[in-house]
Amino acid sequence: MGPLRRDRIEGLVARLSEEGMDGIFLGPSGDLTYLTGLELFPDERCKGLMVSGAGCFGLVPLLYRQEMGERLEGIPLFVWDDREGFLGAFARGCASLGLVGKVIGINSGMRAVDLIEAMGVVRARYVNGSKVMDPLRRVKDPGELDLMRSASEMADRVMWRVFESLRPGVTERQVRDLILRSFEEMGVVPSFEPIVAFGANASMPHYSGGDGVAREGDCAVLDFGCRFKGYCSDMTRTFFVGDPSDEARRIYRVVLEAQLAGLAAVRTGVEAQMVDRAAREVISRAGYGEFFLNRLGHGIGLEVHEGPYIVEGNSNPLEAGNVFSVEPGIYIPGLMGVRIEDLVAVTPQGCQVLNSFPKEFMVAGR
């Protein structure tokens, strides 16, 4: 990741007063990476960055002093070791910025057990700060968009390898291993654990098994992505192994129509929930509304799931630079599932689809 971004820290400081906070503590998370370039292992050692209008400090376990010190150049560090624990360093850091008795936000990177202990040594009003950075992170700059295009192109290439490997008798585990091996050969890591689901297993949207065997006529749902220089991709395609049923073909057509309707609804100024509605209406009209179980999409960037969320109830207007998934699905319990997912970047003219892999009905193993 890149160097410390003081411009982004300044943007966060400006937001703190808007949110009624005097400071915010950012533990290991996409938030911390966005500001500092640090991708820290989220273990039991409390660590991170406190940001306030009065300045910043790093809370640094001794084991991380070199790594965090290099990234947090010019920022005071309060270092602690395993014998003493983090509480003393946290208290000294908060006192140095005048945060005692003030309002401190906490993001999702700080463990609840650590927060409970911190509340016992630093008197303050602690509030949920998990959404404070969302307006900053959800609009990607040109450099971020380039990295996400590259990550999506890598996922497209792996999807071709997966399609060519499908045939009756292949197992979900074999396909999963192919995905992981392919990304490793490209020098990247998966952005999440790949989903490979055949037949009835595909009726579970976040299926986590691996023992299924592809049979003639089965659907095959493949959902995966990679992380390129910190930025994530995420895509899903549904193929069929051998000749599927007429109902399977119909369900696929409905999902594809819904996905295209969702894409067509994307443009600046449109409420996020309207994109969800556009796709959901297609599936409901076809009689499968009860089988569309998920929101239409989620934002993506340094984390696989971040703002904006494309879901009923989100009335925030889309902005140029937003990047999110459009992934309608139909899931028939015990029978099959179909999901089609692309990432899109909102542009002043509409949107750019980051994935290029075809979406027409495709039968593998022939």
Side-chain angles (χ1 to χ4, degrees), residues 115-190:
L115 173 59
I116 290 169
E117 290 196 350
M119 293 170 69
V121 297
V122 176
R123 181 178 56 83
R125 184 160 71 89
Y126 293 89
V127 299
N128 185 348
S130 61
K131 300 295 184 185
V132 172
M133 287 191 59
D134 181 64
L136 304 177
R137 288 180 53 191
R138 70 186 177 205
V139 176
K140 272 59 179 180
D141 63 32
E144 292 176 294
L145 290 171
D146 284 344
L147 294 176
M148 298 190 73
R149 290 187 191 98
S150 295
S152 293
E153 190 271 334
M154 290 176 175
D156 285 332
R157 283 158 54 193
V158 174
M159 190 65 79
W160 276 115
R161 293 189 67 178
V162 169
F163 176 72
E164 292 163 0
S165 75
L166 291 176
R167 63 188 183 280
V170 73
T171 68
E172 293 167 341
R173 199 171 306 280
Q174 287 173 323
V175 175
R176 176 184 172 277
D177 289 346
L178 172 62
I179 294 167
L180 297 177
R181 188 168 63 251
S182 298
F183 283 140
E184 184 176 10
E185 291 170 357
M186 292 178 178
V188 295
V189 297

Side-chain angles (χ1 to χ4, degrees), residues 24 39 45 59 67 82 88-89 102 121 147 159 207 230 236 252 260 273 319 345 358 361:
I24 184 169
E39 296 184 75
R45 293 182 177 89
L59 182 65
E67 179 182 4
D82 290 347
K102 300 296 182 64
V121 297
L147 294 176
M159 190 65 79
Y207 171 72
T236 307
Y252 190 92
L260 295 175
Q273 64 185 353
E319 303 171 81
F361 191 90

Side-chain angles (χ1 to χ4, degrees), residues 24-29 31-33 36 38-50 57-65 67-69 72 77-80 82 85-87 89-90 106-111 114-115 118:
I24 184 169
F25 184 77
L26 307 172
S29 59
D31 291 340
L32 186 65
T33 304
T36 69
L38 282 166
E39 296 184 75
L40 297 177
F41 183 69
D43 60 14
E44 74 281 6
R45 293 182 177 89
C46 188
K47 52 192 171 292
L49 178 70
M50 180 72 81
F57 75 82
L59 182 65
V60 183
L62 186 59
L63 270 66
Y64 290 81
R65 181 165 60 184
E67 179 182 4
M68 295 183 70
L72 301 180
L77 305 181
F78 288 81
V79 181
W80 60 273
D82 290 347
F86 78 93
L87 292 175
F90 184 76
I106 302 293
N107 89 328
S108 60
M110 188 179 194
R111 300 188 310 167
D114 293 331
L115 173 59

